[in-house]
Amino acid sequence: MTVSSTHSASSAEDGPKAANMRSLSRALEVFAELQRAERPQRLSDLARTCGMSLPTTLRILRVLQDFGMVSQTDKSYRIGPAVLPAARSYLENDPLVVAARPVLQQVASQTGLTASLYTRLGFERILVARVDGESPLRYDLPLGKRLPLTVGAAGKILLASASDEELGQVATAAIAAGHEKDSLTAVELRGRLPEAGTDYAYSEDERATGVLSVAVAVPHRSGRPSESISLTSPVESATEAGMKAGIPELRRAAGRLSELLEGSVY
């Protein structure tokens, strides 16, 4: 009788906890969708994209508004000011970003190219640090921008060792996020990646027109890298051969960054 009573009490406690976690997960999903959006989003658009009902989406947005994570203008919603203190704390205290700054500065100085560090977040990648080269890029790519793994050297190198199953998941997520056309398959995505045994990825006119890029992964003790370092240049200022000439410097930088991060959560 005692065992049965304890089990029932435990189940009763687990129910609300599980419901709370589902609510938190849904709230973060809405928040992530607002991060991806290039402009303020209407309630109906957010609900449809996230696969939630209008009342549920509205309740989530109101809670996020209470904490300053979301702001509302007329009938549209956007990221709120509370994210700025969080972003500042991340940029000032995250060991990856702190360790990367001098490494990227050296790479940019040695090559004359723009050096960037990306970290993988789920099925996307995020720009977390950048040092401009001698030739400025012709587009604005702010820190924190969510980008696909499916295009661009810095994304493709992070998928180089992925299984066919994972590539299928990445393709599905890229389509859902609007990064890719509905026709993208795991087979097509595999064809974009570096050949087996190649430790770098190269891209030209992929994510942005008129841009060349080369990237290597930052070694990770788990064997599955989650960060990559890239060199980027406008097409009129570099050639494919010139970009690939910077690969040895990228390798040294990636190795140095990996050493600096030993013993941390990375």
Side-chain angles (χ1 to χ4, degrees), residues 5-25:
S5 177
T6 301
H7 178 73
S8 298
S10 176
S11 298
E13 291 177 359
D14 290 342
K17 290 180 180 178
N20 289 338
M21 293 306 295
R22 284 195 298 272
S23 297
L24 176 60
S25 179

Side-chain angles (χ1 to χ4, degrees), residues 2 42 65 71 105 126 145 166 178 189 192 200 239-240 246 250 253:
T2 302
R42 297 176 67 87
Q65 280 183 271
S71 295
Q105 287 171 352
I126 292 179
K145 179 72 173 178
E166 182 180 2
L189 180 53
R192 300 180 184 179
Y200 69 89
T239 63
E240 179 176 349
L250 276 180

Side-chain angles (χ1 to χ4, degrees), residues 9 21 33 40 47 50 68 96 101 114-115 119 121 135 153 177 203 215 239 243 253:
M21 293 306 295
E33 190 56 39
C50 296
L96 174 67
R101 289 192 188 107
T114 296
T119 188
L121 182 62
S135 299
S203 63
T239 63
M243 295 298 294

Side-chain angles (χ1 to χ4, degrees), residues 174-220:
I175 293 170
H179 296 312
E180 294 282 354
K181 296 180 179 179
D182 293 346
S183 59
L184 179 65
T185 64
V187 174
E188 179 185 347
L189 180 53
R190 175 72 72 187
R192 300 180 184 179
L193 305 182
E195 296 180 358
T198 303
D199 67 346
Y200 69 89
Y202 174 78
S203 63
E204 180 175 348
D205 291 335
E206 287 192 3
R207 201 195 62 79
T209 303
V211 173
L212 308 180
S213 185
V214 65
V216 302
V218 177
H220 194 280

Side-chain angles (χ1 to χ4, degrees), residues 73-260:
T73 301
D74 295 328
K75 296 182 179 180
S76 297
Y77 297 86
R78 64 187 187 281
I79 293 296
V83 302
L84 287 176
R88 180 193 61 79
S89 179
Y90 172 77
L91 292 174
E92 292 180 356
N93 299 298
D94 184 79
L96 174 67
V97 177
V98 172
R101 289 192 188 107
V103 173
L104 294 179
Q105 287 171 352
Q106 182 175 10
V107 174
S109 176
Q110 291 288 337
T111 64
L113 302 172
T114 296
S116 305
L117 175 70
Y118 295 85
T119 188
R120 181 171 176 175
L121 182 62
F123 296 124
E124 295 172 303
R125 57 185 167 106
I126 292 179
L127 175 65
V128 296
R130 164 167 284 179
V131 175
D132 290 331
E134 297 173 357
S135 299
L137 301 178
R138 295 179 299 186
Y139 64 93
D140 180 36
L141 183 58
L143 294 180
K145 179 72 173 178
R146 285 177 177 263
L147 300 168
L149 292 171
T150 55
V151 292
K156 295 188 298 184
I157 194 62
L158 294 176
L159 295 177
S161 60
S163 65
D164 291 341
E165 180 182 3
E166 182 180 2
L167 290 182
Q169 294 171 343
V170 171
T172 299
I175 293 170
H179 296 312
E180 294 282 354
K181 296 180 179 179
D182 293 346
S183 59
L184 179 65
T185 64
V187 174
E188 179 185 347
L189 180 53
R190 175 72 72 187
R192 300 180 184 179
L193 305 182
E195 296 180 358
T198 303
D199 67 346
Y200 69 89
Y202 174 78
S203 63
E204 180 175 348
D205 291 335
E206 287 192 3
R207 201 195 62 79
T209 303
V211 173
L212 308 180
S213 185
V214 65
V216 302
V218 177
H220 194 280
R221 56 180 174 266
S222 70
R224 288 297 305 276
S226 55
E227 283 78 38
S228 61
I229 297 181
S230 74
L231 291 174
T232 309
S233 172
V235 67
E236 66 270 14
S237 302
T239 63
E240 179 176 349
M243 295 298 294
K244 291 182 177 179
I247 292 175
E249 191 65 34
L250 276 180
R251 290 179 180 135
R252 285 191 287 270
R256 177 58 177 157
L257 185 55
S258 180
E259 292 174 359
L260 291 172

